[in-house]
Amino acid sequence: MTGAAPLQLQWAAFNRDNIARVALWLLVLLVAAALAAPLLSPQNPYDLAQLDIMDARQAPGTVAGAGYKLWLGSDDQGRDMLSAILHGLRISLAVAGIATVIAMGIGLVAGLTAARAGGWIDLALMRLADLQLSFPSILVALILLALTGQGLDRIIVALVVVQWAYYARTVRAAAITELKREYIEAAVCAGVRPLRLLWRHLLPNIMPPLMVVGTVQMAQAVALEATLSFLGLGLPITEPSLGLLIANGYTHLLSGKYWISFFPGLALLALIVTLNLVGDRLRDVFDPRSR
Amino acid sequence: MLTYALRRLLWSAATLWLMSLLVFAGVHAIGDPVALLISPQADQAEIARATALLGLDQPLWRQYLLFFSGALSGDLGLSFVASVPAIHLILERLPATLELALVAMLIAVGLGIPLGLYAGLRPRSWPARAVMALSTLGFALPTFWVGLMLILVFAVQLGLLPSTGRGATVEIGGIGWSLFTVDGLRHLLLPALTLALFKLGLLIRLTRAGTREALGLDYTRFARAKGLAETAVLRRHVLPNILIPVVTVAALEFGSLIAFAIVTETVFAWPGMGKLLIESINLLDRPVIVAYLLVTITLFIAINLLADLLHALLDPRLRPGGTI
């Protein structure tokens, strides 16, 4: 492998683990299914005109009145569960994805500021992060939602508030180590401007730990959003994420109609577990100590 | 040690005060409680009277002082819905939550330490890999999902255990316990297991990492070199050293069990204060929400303080200024 770029080497290292490779492909498949949800699903689950109450609570495999097969059954309004899950996956991924990107951005700025400025700014930022991380994320998110009310924007804000501190800590720790390295010193001596130094020299070296934390935290964001929606405090009923679908089926679970909760739960499980497996493998690949 | 304890105590008090300020500010940010409390047909005089009665005509700093002194004496206002002191509602439900969290922690510690020890001793064996997979799942899976699956398997499909609610309780020391009745235990098992899974994953990892580290250290090698039996090495040298961080983390994590009980209690209709919180949020019963937050935050800070002191007590190296 002489002459191969570092990225190629890391990609090869990632692929050496079979479980991680399968997880990555499954994750790609899930994201693709979420993106293509309107094309793949037999019905638009939120167009009330397409719902037929005669199709309500059908077991998996039943043929609906409109002619297509309800592969995963239907809920109490006659909604095809497969269509609902594909759309739910889309909402879950979008909410967690947007929150992760914003939290990562805030964490990056806060972490770099803390690492560069040092002194009381560093102390204040890290104290704030410590204080927040000493409370469980579910409690912080619940308090925020109890105070601000429901809504798509509110839950994204809650997820960002809960997660920025993880990124800030990671970035700060990585930046402090990197800033002491000789390549930074050399770049400073060569007269590289601060912004270019940050963008071309520092950031690429902070990316690996950030990506690891980002993947695992994205899984946490998906789980937290699902939990909050399950509790009825997350997304409104007009934006049914996987958590809300599971909550809807909960009452039917006890009467034996397992599919209304079970299949959305399976999709949620697949999403969270694949994200975690990919994140764990990335950590192994990027961190030479754990090899 | 004393200065360390005092400093920690001061930091805890400061955190608690900061939190009370945040809760107060948050509660005032959501809107005017008068609008919620009195009928829409009320005239101007009635609104003024209600505002005065609630102390809302005072300047904000006076309101905060009133709130703060009320909170210190345990008076957090009446529940909008039940018209009884909010703090009573919370304290009434506290034993059920504490019992659930306690049993969950016992399950996590009782299973996590032996499993973690095994996984650390034979890291390449297949049972150890299964244990690590269980630990990963325990970390990753959302609590409510685990609860639903347990209900589906053990209550709906197999019909072995009740799905929801709290069973019969026995009054001991003025508090109802379900630990001491068969019915109570049957109701307790599934929610406690659900709540325990996350901490189980954590304790398995901690114990495994600690065991693997301890096995490579000099004191273990010397113990083996002088001919001690493997069990004696484990019992006398490895275990005491890995128990320090494990016990501290278990103590520290007890607070988060109380927070995660919100989800478990809702899934299993367990009548604890977490379920009450969700009901109160849905009914906009503000005094109960505030009471829950202050009680939980106080519990949390007290637990963090105790865990830190316990850790310093167990491990002299961590005492600031302490020597090895």
Side-chain angles (χ1 to χ4, degrees), chain A residues 110-248:
Chain A
L112 287 175
T113 310
R116 190 66 208 256
W120 69 268
I121 297 177
D122 183 23
L123 193 74
L125 276 170
M126 286 306 117
R127 268 293 180 189
L128 185 64
D130 282 347
L131 181 67
Q132 209 194 307
L133 293 181
S134 70
F135 291 94
S137 50
I138 178 91
L139 192 65
V140 176
L142 264 179
I143 295 172
L144 274 174
L145 288 172
L147 294 178
T148 59
Q150 281 189 5
L152 198 64
D153 49 343
R154 314 279 167 70
I155 192 149
I156 291 176
V157 168
L159 291 178
V160 169
V161 169
V162 163
Q163 304 214 302
W164 74 274
Y166 292 97
Y167 298 108
R169 269 191 175 178
T170 311
V171 170
R172 175 182 174 272
I176 284 179
T177 326
E178 294 300 325
L179 281 174
K180 286 189 197 126
R181 293 268 168 88
E182 281 169 352
Y183 73 91
I184 295 281
E185 215 174 306
V188 173
C189 289
V192 175
R193 275 194 312 256
L195 215 63
R196 187 177 160 79
L197 182 80
L198 177 75
W199 194 249
R200 297 280 303 175
H201 298 266
L202 190 56
L203 264 189
N205 286 295
I206 292 178
M207 270 337 258
L210 195 59
M211 271 173 69
V212 172
V213 176
T215 321
V216 176
Q217 283 302 315
M218 170 101 179
Q220 293 289 322
V222 169
L224 188 57
E225 181 274 313
T227 304
L228 294 168
S229 294
F230 176 79
L231 292 174
L233 298 170
L235 292 172
I237 202 83
T238 47
E239 310 279 350
S241 67
L242 292 173
L244 214 58
L245 291 177
I246 298 170
N248 276 341

